[in-house]
Amino acid sequence: SYGLTQPLSVSVALGQTARITCGGDNIGSKNVHWYQKKTGQAPVLVICRGTERPSGIPERFSGSNSGNTATLTINGAQGGDEADYYCQVWHTSAVFFGAGTKLTVL
Amino acid sequence: EAQLVESGGGLVRPGGSLRLSCVTSGFAFGSYGMDWVRQSLGKGLEWVAAINVAGDYLHYADSVKGRFTISRDDSGNTLYLQMNNVRDDDTAVYYCARPDIKGASVGAFDIWGQGTLVTVSS
């Protein structure tokens, strides 16, 4: 098993920077992927392999990963960014998701 | 455009069986591993199972090991999840998901279906 720790919720003022963390043992050595999940919709990959932004994802989404913490950063958060965000890794033949962070844009 | 369409969900009694299907289109299904991921109401995402390109590398979450079986039919571009001896806590929306790298059975899931709801209840 591999535990991933995310804050339950993060709030950010409209237009400001939101940071969502994902903690795990030596997570900096792993490929971390981030998903945006809105109610009733399929998850959307927003960052892969720690720092890569898939085609079609706005530049305000970025990622970093070092030591025991991976971070998803949303610069200039918009109302449409309100969602649950999940980190994900592959570890010893299994996939693990964090419990998810609810992002509120005020 | 790559698409995944799940079906087969519904109401099933505890201890019963159900088979989910995921019909794919718009990409070379036979060149990709595939996965199932689920989400229970009000809870987070949970990985369920993975299958590689050849169909001989199968991995399962501990919560479903021995009860669920993932398989694929490359001639029909379809992924399956056979669910046996289901339990109340298997109630969830089940998604099929495609890793973004050819040949990998896991990785970043860049394509997802819309999900199919499985409800386990007596």
Side-chain angles (χ1 to χ4, degrees), chain A residues 40-99:
Chain A
Q41 298 183 22
V44 174
L45 178 67
V46 294
I47 291 290
C48 50
R49 286 170 284 283
T51 61
E52 298 175 23
R53 193 173 52 250
S55 173
I57 300 302
E59 291 186 7
R60 63 178 182 274
F61 288 87
S62 64
S64 63
N65 186 21
S66 178
N68 293 318
T69 305
T71 302
L72 172 68
T73 301
I74 307 172
N75 288 306
Q78 304 298 308
D81 298 333
E82 275 208 348
D84 294 326
Y85 289 85
Y86 296 87
C87 55
Q88 175 237 314
V89 301
W90 165 256
H91 175 74
T92 59
S93 303
V95 172
F96 296 93
F97 287 95

Side-chain angles (χ1 to χ4, degrees), chain A residues 33 35 37 40-45 47-49 52 84 86 88 90 93-99, chain B residues 35 37 39 43-47 50 57 59-60 95 100-101 105-110 112-114:
Chain A
H33 317 297
Y35 302 89
K37 177 72 170 66
Q41 298 183 22
V44 174
L45 178 67
I47 291 290
C48 50
R49 286 170 284 283
E52 298 175 23
D84 294 326
Y86 296 87
Q88 175 237 314
W90 165 256
S93 303
V95 172
F96 296 93
F97 287 95
Chain B
D35 291 63
V37 177
Q39 183 175 34
K43 296 192 177 179
L45 299 173
E46 180 188 16
W47 173 76
Y57 176 87
H59 280 278
Y60 300 93
Y95 298 95
D100 66 337
I101 296 177
S105 53
V106 291
F109 301 124
D110 65 339
W112 296 70
Q114 84 290 349

